[in-house]
Amino acid sequence: MKLAQALGADALADKDPLPPHLREQLLARHPLFVASHWALAGAAVVGIIVALAAVRPWGARFPRRLLLTVSWTLGIFMIARAVGVAGSGLVGDALLLTGVREAPAEHAALVLTLARWDLLLWSPFFLLWGVCWAVTGWRLGRPVQGRT
């Protein structure tokens, strides 16, 4: 999706849970956001290589510690993002949508709409992705017969 956005598509860009001023820059294709989309697309390619290296025979060429570190780091960060350590995520969105935490009055409708999208799409996606990375890290850390 970030590659599509870097190339000019608006795929779900209007549903990105960003503060209003950053959201406007994202939708206006501010150069910093375009550059960040390219960087994230590149990071996704690296992630694909690491994921494949963890399960394919040619991955034995990579240092095991590097694969373990990348897998666990990505898993922890993605699970933390999904749960809501930084304020959004499952916990933050649930607090907003149940009224326990108030949305800013000047952007209440937008914040609640984005919280719904985050609760139903982004947070579960990051949780699933993070769990997959953590399981990969866990499996990489287990001793395998024939591996020294």
Side-chain angles (χ1 to χ4, degrees):
M1 185 175 73
K2 293 300 182 187
L3 178 59
Q5 289 174 348
L7 292 170
D10 287 332
L12 293 174
D14 62 333
K15 307 301 183 223
D16 205 321
L18 290 170
H21 70 285
L22 291 176
R23 190 169 176 270
E24 289 171 15
Q25 291 179 0
L26 170 69
L27 295 173
R29 300 196 39 77
H30 186 278
L32 184 60
F33 276 99
V34 174
S36 73
H37 290 329
W38 281 109
L40 290 169
V45 170
V46 171
I48 290 167
I49 292 168
V50 170
L52 289 172
V55 297
R56 303 303 304 165
W58 54 263
R61 293 185 218 144
F62 287 86
R64 197 65 143 187
R65 185 166 291 191
L66 174 67
L67 296 175
L68 269 166
T69 302
V70 171
S71 297
W72 276 112
T73 301
L74 289 172
I76 290 167
F77 276 119
M78 288 182 179
I79 291 169
R81 189 272 180 229
V83 171
V85 174
S88 62
L90 297 170
V91 173
D93 296 332
L95 291 174
L96 265 173
L97 294 170
T98 58
V100 173
R101 191 171 90 198
E102 289 190 32
E106 66 274 11
H107 305 292
L110 174 63
V111 168
L112 292 173
T113 298
L114 295 178
R116 280 185 209 96
W117 273 94
D118 191 60
L119 185 67
L120 297 173
L121 176 66
W122 302 120
S123 292
F125 174 74
F126 275 97
L127 182 61
L128 176 64
W129 203 5
V131 167
C132 288
W133 278 112
V135 167
T136 299
W138 174 73
R139 290 195 53 146
L140 283 169
R142 292 177 56 205
V144 177
Q145 261 184 331
R147 183 174 47 164
T148 56

